[in-house]
């Protein structure tokens, strides 16, 4: 059923009337659902926390429930709201310093925290003022867009009308609340009583698509680079029955891609809405009707309901500027606090875009009048880029496209550090800044900068960005993530939208990459292996803030207070979280080697590693198209098989302990029955057999579709398949070990569990199966505890001094397992402890040598393929 927006509601903030939708679901988060009635109650509580007087409120907006409640409370109560970038940083601090808000709201530990900076406002605030937004994101400038409540309401109503929004719709929040496009999704859905699936998952994260399916998401918003990510995760092959439409804005999408996705949507039953807008128009000014997208992919479409366009000739140019009129046009700009007292100073918006109108009545953008570019939806003023560089004492000229800012800088400077600082000031990904060192700025005959020549430097310097830190600085935060990926994964051509997983990263290379990323970025983002390279940026520097008062009681009763270094600060300097899977791998290999040598006895850790292997398989090997992930799975298997066969072959040659079936990892199938010396490599053999079987299974289209549609259920099915072996109904054929596929499946299910009840169900399965797997209660207790830690505890706090050692042991764990059988007998007589240390060290050395050798071979093969392709291209080229 479609909701019609009543005329009498125009100009009234939708945020004040949330309760009218009663017990309908408003917000869905990872852990809870919130009804409109409950959301309205929380908004009222937050409004009371703001106090009775009208104040200027600043919000570090993020995709969280506390942040959303604060946003709605400010809108509903008439308190003007200044939106700050999420996570703070230099851009947020600059805006706070420039506009001196009365209250700053941040989300922390699941609650809204209020910094009450002024008991009484010193600002003169215009009655119509509702929102203050940076122009299309953060441009590093204090210039803000002033929006009225009427503009917010009108644009939300227009969007709801042309998207035909219904109360049954659910939108996933793929864009930040601090971005006007993401904000418009929130406004339009809450206006009509629809639902929001509140998340900050990226579309490359399998968790996002699990959310889409479990919450029956009907739409998500995308900017141009989102479509690069969609291609990398195999979106075109996904079965998403609830999806009704995708919206696109935030910059021009290439016409061929518009046509391609419009046709894909037509085949799969969803619509593509290409849209055009600016922050100055609250969000949207035009949309392209979905049924016209394939035929007119160059167009931005028609004005939104209630709006209109006209074309104004530009003197000196054979072109016209697009001018928009509508109730969603801003009041005007603000460049200083005194401007907050101003009312409406414009009635129409000169967009700065050059446009034309086709005979079919569709508008098309043909160029820009001013020097702005849009990068991942954020509008960047190239003049502001030059001013920021000038403030650093640099002579520079900036050009750019919707992909990157390119600046020519005179002289020799530390461009890596400058590029990082500039990216933070502009609020764009580091990968979107390219600085080139030149002797002199390219200039035209009239002395003005030659911007086309500056732009050409982006192509001339491709592959050797002078804004990238050298490898020697890899211990510093200036390390380029691209270089880390290139060195760890032995890759040469890495795009901004590539992820660790899409580049072929697996559990063997994950540990080394995560350790270097943590040193480079200052932290390790959760789910970083699925994040595009351009999103992996250093943690923003946030100066110490006054202690904040929680949003309860009377805000004015709590005064901000500065505190010195505490015991917690000292603790955080000494200890840091480390991913549980990495810690388990390091501990397990120490216990395995020590048990085999007899230094001490502790069984069960090898079986914990089987579960960890399943956990990592689900994280690293299940993204991308079917063909791409098959290649990635086979590459990962080769990285286990080749060094294992090489070393076992050496052991076969120098001892009488092993046979050729060991060399080729076939002992479980062709070796003697029972447990003996030839069974020592059972872990490697079974793991390889499981990985090969799964690669073959998932290469089948039906199985591939089933796994993508039901990832958690697919893992449970894997467990169920092994139950006849588990209960002894049939013979496993694996001497001395019994079935372990179910353990691998448990690890897979742990990684695929997204909700509390799913983790609880997996816990129940573990409690029912693991204690029955062995008669040794200590062994099964180790397996159970290890698995439950993997399932429930994402990170473990570890002394910082041990991070590198743990990462080294975890990375080399498989190689240590293979080599220790041959190493420890050589030194065992000198002491079992020394034998353990020697086995660990030998395995690490073999890991380093094998990794470098295989990386070199892979590079040679890639270069040979590239040369072969080049020869074929030359042979077929005309002339």
């Amino acid at each position: 059923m479609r909701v019609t927006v009543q005329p009498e509601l125009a100009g009234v903030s939708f945020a004040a009337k949330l309760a009218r939708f009663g017990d309908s679901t408003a917000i869905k988060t990872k852990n809870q659902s919130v009804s409109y009635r409950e959301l309205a109650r929380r908004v009222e509580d937050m409004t009371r926390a703001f106090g009775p007087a009208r104040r200027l409120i600043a919000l570090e907006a993020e995709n969280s429930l506390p942040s959303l409640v604060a946003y709605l409370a400010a809108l509903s109560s008439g308190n003007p709201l200044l939106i700050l970038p999420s996570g703070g940083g230099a851009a947020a601090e600059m805006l706070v310093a420039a506009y001196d808000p009365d209250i700053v709201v941040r989300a922390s530990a699941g609650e809204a925290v209020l910094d009450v900076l002024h008991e009484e406002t010193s600002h003169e605030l215009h009655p119509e003022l509702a929102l203050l937004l940076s122009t299309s994101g953060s441009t590093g400038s204090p210039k803000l867009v002033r929006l009225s409540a009427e503009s917010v309401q009108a644009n939300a109503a227009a969007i709801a009308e042309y998207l035909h929004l219904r109360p049954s719709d659910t939108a996933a929040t793929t864009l930040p609340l601090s971005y006007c496009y993401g904000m418009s999704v929130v406004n339009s859905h809450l206006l009509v009583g629809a639902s929001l699936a509140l998340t900050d998952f990226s579309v490359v994260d399998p968790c996002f698509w699990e959310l889409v399916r479990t919450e029956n998401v009907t739409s998500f918003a995308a900017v141009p680079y989102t479509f690069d990510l969609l291609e990398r995760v195999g979106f075109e092959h996904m079965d998403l029955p609830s999806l009704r439409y995708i919206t696109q804005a935030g910059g021009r999408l290439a016409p061929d891609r518009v046509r391609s996705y419009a046709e894909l949507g037509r085949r799969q039953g969803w619509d593509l809405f290409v849209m055009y807008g600016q922050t100055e128009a609250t969000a949207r000014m035009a949309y392209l009707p979905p049924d016209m997208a394939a035929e007119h992919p160059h167009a931005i479409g028609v004005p939104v309901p209630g709006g209109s366009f006209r074309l104004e000739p530009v003197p000196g140019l054979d072109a016209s500027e697009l001018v928009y009129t509508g109730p969603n046009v801003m009041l005007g700009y603000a460049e200083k606090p005194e401007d907050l007292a101003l009312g409406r100073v414009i009635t129409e918006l000169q967009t700065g875009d050059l446009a034309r109108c086709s005979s079919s009545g569709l508008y098309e953008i043909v160029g820009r009048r001013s020097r702005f570019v849009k990068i991942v939806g954020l509008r960047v003023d190239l003049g502001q880029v030059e001013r920021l560089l000038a403030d650093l004492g640099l002579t520079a000229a900036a050009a750019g496209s919707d992909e990157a800012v390119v600046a020519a800088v005179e002289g020799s400077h530390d461009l890596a550090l400058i590029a990082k600082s500039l990216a933070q000031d502009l609020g764009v990904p580091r990968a979107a800044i390219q600085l080139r060192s030149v002797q002199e700025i390219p200039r035209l005959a009239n002395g003005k900068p030659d911007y086309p020549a500056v732009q050409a430097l982006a192509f001339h310097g491709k592959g050797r960005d002078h804004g990238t830190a050298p490898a020697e600085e890899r211990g510093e935060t200036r390390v380029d993530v691209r270089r880390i990926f290139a060195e760890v994964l032995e890759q040469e051509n890495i795009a901004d939208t590539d992820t660790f997983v899409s580049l072929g990263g697996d559990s063997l290379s994950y540990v080394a990459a995560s350790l270097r990323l943590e040193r480079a970025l200052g932290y390790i983002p959760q789910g970083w292996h699925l994040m595009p390279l351009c999103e992996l940026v250093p943690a923003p520097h946030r100066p110490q803030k006054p202690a904040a008062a929680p949003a309860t009681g009377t805000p004015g009763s709590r005064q901000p207070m500065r505190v010195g270094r505490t015991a917690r600060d000292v603790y955080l300097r000494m200890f840091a979280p480390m991913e549980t899977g990495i810690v388990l791998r390091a501990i397990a290999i120490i216990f395995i080697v020590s048990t085999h040598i007899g230094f001490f006895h502790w069984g069960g850790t090898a079986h914990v590693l089987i579960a960890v292997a399943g956990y990592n398989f689900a994280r690293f090997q299940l993204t991308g198209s079917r063909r791409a992930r098959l290649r990635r799975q086979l590459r990962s298997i080769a990285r286990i098989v080749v060094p294992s066969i090489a070393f076992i072959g050496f052991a076969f040659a120098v001892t009488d302990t092993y046979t050729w079936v060991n060399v080729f990892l076939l002992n479980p199938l062709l070796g003697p029955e029972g447990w003996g010396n030839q069974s020592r490599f059972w872990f490697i053999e079974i793991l390889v057999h499981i990985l090969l079987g799964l690669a073959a299974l998932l290469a089948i289209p039906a199985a591939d579709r089933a796994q993508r549609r039901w990832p958690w259920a697919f893992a449970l099915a894997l467990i169920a398949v092994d139950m006849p072996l588990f209960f002894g109904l049939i013979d496993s054929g694996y001497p001395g070990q019994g079935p372990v596929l179910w353990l691998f499946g448990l690890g897979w299910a742990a990684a695929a569990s997204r909700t509390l009840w799913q983790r609880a169900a997996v816990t129940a399965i573990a409690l029912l199966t693991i204690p029955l797997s062995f008669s040794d209660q200590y062994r099964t207790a180790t397996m159970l505890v290890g698995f439950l830690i993997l399932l429930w505890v994402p990170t473990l706090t570890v002394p910082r001094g041990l991070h590198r050692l743990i990462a080294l042991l975890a990375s080399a764990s498989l190689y240590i397992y293979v080599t220790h059988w041959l190493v420890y007998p050589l030194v065992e007589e000198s002491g079992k402890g020394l034998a353990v240390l020697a086995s660990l060290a030998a395995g690490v050395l073999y890991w380093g040598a094998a990794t470098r050798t295989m990386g070199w071979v892979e590079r040679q093969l890639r270069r040979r393929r590239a040369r072969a392709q080049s020869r074929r291209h030359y042979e077929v080229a005309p002339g």
Side-chain angles (χ1 to χ4, degrees):
M1 180 181 70
R2 179 179 165 189
V3 168
T4 301
V5 180
Q6 300 299 326
E8 61 268 20
L9 294 180
V12 177
S13 173
F14 62 89
K17 296 185 176 292
L18 297 170
R20 63 185 171 139
F21 296 110
D23 293 327
S24 298
T25 300
I27 308 297
K28 303 173 183 178
T29 70
K30 182 178 180 180
N31 299 317
Q32 62 179 321
S33 292
V34 178
S35 70
Y36 272 91
R37 194 186 314 280
E38 171 64 15
L39 181 61
R41 185 193 65 76
R42 296 189 186 198
V43 168
E44 290 173 3
D45 291 344
M46 181 63 69
T47 300
R48 284 192 291 272
F50 289 158
R54 192 165 185 251
R55 294 172 165 182
L56 177 61
I57 298 171
L59 170 66
E60 287 188 6
E62 60 181 40
N63 291 0
S64 68
L65 186 56
S67 186
L68 179 61
V69 168
Y71 167 74
L72 295 171
L75 286 186
S76 66
S77 61
N79 287 291
L81 183 64
L82 167 59
I83 298 294
L84 306 176
S86 62
E93 296 300 328
M94 180 193 65
L95 289 172
V96 170
Y99 286 93
D100 190 24
D102 302 308
I103 301 174
V104 178
V105 185
R106 302 177 178 90
S108 177
E111 295 183 356
V113 178
L114 277 62
D115 283 351
V116 181
L117 305 182
H118 303 290
E119 295 297 332
E120 295 183 3
T121 186
S122 59
H123 298 289
E124 184 179 347
L125 304 171
H126 192 275
E128 292 184 64
L129 182 61
L131 268 178
L132 293 164
L133 303 178
S134 295
T135 54
S136 293
S138 174
T139 65
S141 167
K143 185 176 183 180
L144 301 176
V145 170
R146 296 182 293 114
L147 297 173
S148 68
E150 178 187 4
S151 295
V152 176
Q153 180 79 11
N155 202 230
I159 294 170
E161 182 174 339
Y162 73 73
L163 290 181
H164 309 296
L165 293 185
R166 315 158 182 168
S168 58
D169 280 327
T170 298
T173 56
T174 47
L175 300 172
L177 182 62
S178 57
Y179 177 26
C180 71
Y181 183 11
M183 188 181 294
S184 71
V185 174
V186 170
N187 297 345
S188 57
H189 281 72
L190 295 183
L191 176 75
V192 302
S195 300
L196 295 170
L198 207 57
T199 180
D200 57 3
F201 286 138
S202 167
V203 296
V204 298
D205 194 328
C207 301
F208 175 79
W209 300 108
E210 177 69 11
L211 174 78
V212 170
R213 296 181 181 96
T214 57
E215 300 297 348
N216 292 315
V217 167
T218 57
S219 69
F220 63 88
V223 294
Y225 96 109
T226 306
F227 292 90
D228 293 332
L229 305 182
L230 292 177
E231 290 186 0
R232 295 189 182 280
V233 299
F235 172 75
E236 63 180 304
H237 302 297
M238 293 184 184
D239 184 14
L240 305 170
S242 63
L243 187 62
R244 196 165 71 81
Y245 66 88
I246 299 172
T247 61
Q248 182 273 318
R252 180 176 183 267
L253 187 64
D256 59 339
R257 189 163 273 187
V258 171
R259 182 180 291 109
S260 172
Y261 275 88
E263 292 173 349
L264 176 64
R266 187 176 299 172
R267 293 194 301 271
Q268 296 187 349
W270 49 264
D271 291 326
L272 175 67
F273 282 88
V274 175
M275 307 186 301
Y276 167 79
Q278 293 179 3
T279 308
E280 290 85 345
T282 312
R284 303 275 68 81
M285 289 184 283
Y287 72 99
L288 182 61
D291 58 348
M292 305 182 77
E295 296 180 14
H296 304 278
H298 296 79
I300 61 169
V302 297
V304 300
S308 63
F309 285 131
R310 66 179 179 87
L311 296 174
E312 183 175 283
V314 178
L317 290 177
D318 186 19
S320 297
E321 182 178 6
L322 188 65
V323 180
Y324 176 80
T325 304
N328 52 312
V329 171
M330 66 176 177
L331 299 172
Y333 291 111
E335 298 189 63
K336 55 186 181 300
E338 292 76 14
D339 294 340
L340 305 185
L342 299 176
R344 182 171 293 281
V345 295
I346 66 169
T347 56
E348 61 179 16
L349 178 63
Q350 293 184 301
T351 65
D353 288 323
L354 305 177
R356 63 189 177 203
C357 186
S358 69
S359 57
S360 57
L362 300 177
Y363 287 85
E364 180 183 340
I365 302 298
V366 296
R368 297 185 191 277
R369 182 172 181 174
S370 57
R371 297 187 63 238
F372 286 89
V373 294
K374 266 191 176 181
I375 296 175
V376 294
L378 306 179
R379 193 169 65 188
V380 177
D381 182 352
L382 295 175
Q384 178 71 6
V385 173
E386 294 177 352
R387 289 191 291 274
L388 289 171
L389 292 173
D391 289 342
L392 297 174
L394 304 176
T395 300
S401 64
D402 286 355
E403 295 181 354
V405 170
V406 183
V409 181
E410 286 188 355
S412 178
H413 305 277
D414 187 346
L415 297 186
L417 179 60
I418 295 168
K420 172 189 168 185
S421 174
L422 185 61
Q424 291 178 341
D425 288 343
L426 297 174
V428 300
R430 164 63 186 86
I433 301 296
Q434 299 181 24
L435 303 185
R436 308 294 188 211
S437 179
V438 296
Q439 291 184 345
E440 291 183 347
I441 299 296
R443 297 189 182 276
L444 302 171
N446 60 8
K448 294 183 178 181
D450 185 351
Y451 288 114
V454 174
Q455 178 64 35
L457 293 174
F459 303 96
H460 179 70
K462 189 172 183 181
R464 51 182 188 91
D465 186 356
H466 296 293
T468 299
E472 297 81 50
E473 297 173 338
R474 65 185 56 167
E476 306 294 333
T477 57
R478 288 186 289 172
V479 172
D480 187 8
V481 176
R482 190 189 309 274
R483 186 179 295 277
I484 294 175
F485 281 12
E487 294 179 357
V488 171
L489 299 176
E490 304 289 345
Q491 295 280 1
E492 295 177 349
N493 299 314
I494 300 178
D496 292 346
T497 54
D498 281 330
T499 69
F500 176 80
V501 171
S502 73
L503 291 169
D506 55 21
S507 60
L508 298 177
S509 50
Y510 175 83
V511 182
S514 64
L515 190 67
R516 289 183 59 181
L517 276 177
E518 185 174 14
R519 295 202 305 270
L521 305 181
Y523 73 119
I524 190 72
Q526 186 174 3
W528 68 265
H529 58 293
L530 297 169
M531 294 171 63
L533 182 144
C534 61
E535 293 183 6
L536 291 170
V537 296
H541 173 69
R542 298 184 65 172
Q544 187 177 5
K545 296 182 176 67
T552 56
T554 305
S557 64
R558 294 174 171 84
Q559 296 299 323
M561 177 179 63
R562 295 190 179 275
V563 296
R565 177 161 293 184
T566 64
R568 176 174 173 79
D569 296 325
V570 176
Y571 174 81
L572 292 176
R573 291 177 67 86
M574 295 178 62
F575 297 88
M578 202 168 190
E579 188 172 301
T580 298
I582 296 175
V583 179
L584 287 177
R585 285 165 65 180
I587 293 174
I589 196 61
I590 294 173
F591 280 37
I592 290 169
V593 171
S594 298
T595 298
H596 290 168
I597 294 174
F599 186 55
F600 60 77
H601 181 78
W602 197 306
T605 52
H607 290 81
V608 173
L609 286 185
I610 291 288
V612 173
Y615 184 83
N616 286 330
F617 180 85
R619 297 173 69 205
F620 301 117
Q621 303 296 335
L622 297 179
T623 61
S625 65
R626 185 169 65 252
R627 182 171 297 178
R629 74 180 186 181
L630 177 61
R631 286 197 301 268
R632 188 163 61 248
Q633 288 162 3
L634 294 178
R635 178 177 180 268
S636 294
I637 294 170
R639 291 172 72 88
I640 299 173
V641 169
V642 172
S644 297
I645 287 179
F647 190 85
I648 299 172
F650 173 75
F652 170 67
V654 300
T655 72
D656 296 326
T657 307
Y658 309 108
T659 69
W660 68 268
V661 295
N662 292 116
V663 174
F664 295 103
L665 308 180
L666 297 173
N667 189 68
L669 301 176
L670 303 177
E673 295 184 4
W675 181 260
N677 288 337
Q678 293 184 29
S679 306
R680 288 175 171 177
F681 300 106
W682 72 268
F683 181 90
I684 302 293
E685 293 161 343
I686 291 180
L687 179 60
V688 168
H689 296 174
I690 289 175
L691 294 177
L692 284 172
L694 289 174
L697 175 64
L698 294 174
I700 302 172
D704 175 73
R705 289 193 298 269
Q707 188 279 321
R708 293 179 189 275
R709 184 166 186 178
W710 303 292
W712 187 71
F714 195 93
L716 297 188
L718 202 66
I719 299 171
V721 165
D722 212 26
M723 286 299 98
L725 299 176
F726 181 84
F727 288 108
L729 301 179
I730 57 177
D731 183 16
S732 68
Y734 288 91
Q737 284 304 317
V740 294
L741 178 62
W742 64 277
L743 263 178
F744 189 95
L746 271 178
W748 185 337
S753 296
R754 305 291 177 237
T755 63
L756 181 63
W757 76 264
Q758 286 179 335
R759 288 191 177 88
V762 173
T763 300
I765 295 172
L767 291 172
L768 292 172
T769 54
I770 291 178
L772 301 178
S773 59
F774 290 94
S775 59
D776 184 344
Q777 295 181 357
Y778 295 103
R779 177 187 292 267
T780 57
T782 297
M783 294 166 57
L784 183 60
V785 171
F787 174 74
L788 293 180
I789 291 174
L790 180 69
L791 174 62
W792 289 100
V793 185
T795 60
L796 295 171
T797 301
V798 177
R800 290 183 182 272
L802 294 179
H803 276 214
R804 301 186 78 169
L805 177 61
I806 291 172
L808 195 63
L809 293 175
S811 298
S813 55
L814 279 173
Y815 300 82
I816 295 170
Y817 183 90
V818 172
T819 59
H820 84 283
W821 295 110
L822 206 60
V823 173
Y824 81 80
L826 302 177
V827 292
E828 189 175 15
E829 291 184 0
S830 299
K832 294 185 182 298
L834 182 61
V836 171
L837 294 176
S839 297
L840 297 177
V844 169
L845 291 174
Y846 185 59
W847 162 74
T851 301
R852 285 179 173 80
T853 301
M854 288 187 292
W856 181 85
V857 171
E858 289 177 358
R859 286 196 303 274
Q860 298 308 309
L861 291 174
R862 282 196 297 269
R863 288 169 182 167
R864 183 173 297 179
R865 285 196 297 268
R867 286 195 295 268
Q869 291 173 355
S870 298
R871 285 196 298 270
R872 286 197 298 270
H873 177 75
Y874 177 79
E875 290 168 358
V876 301

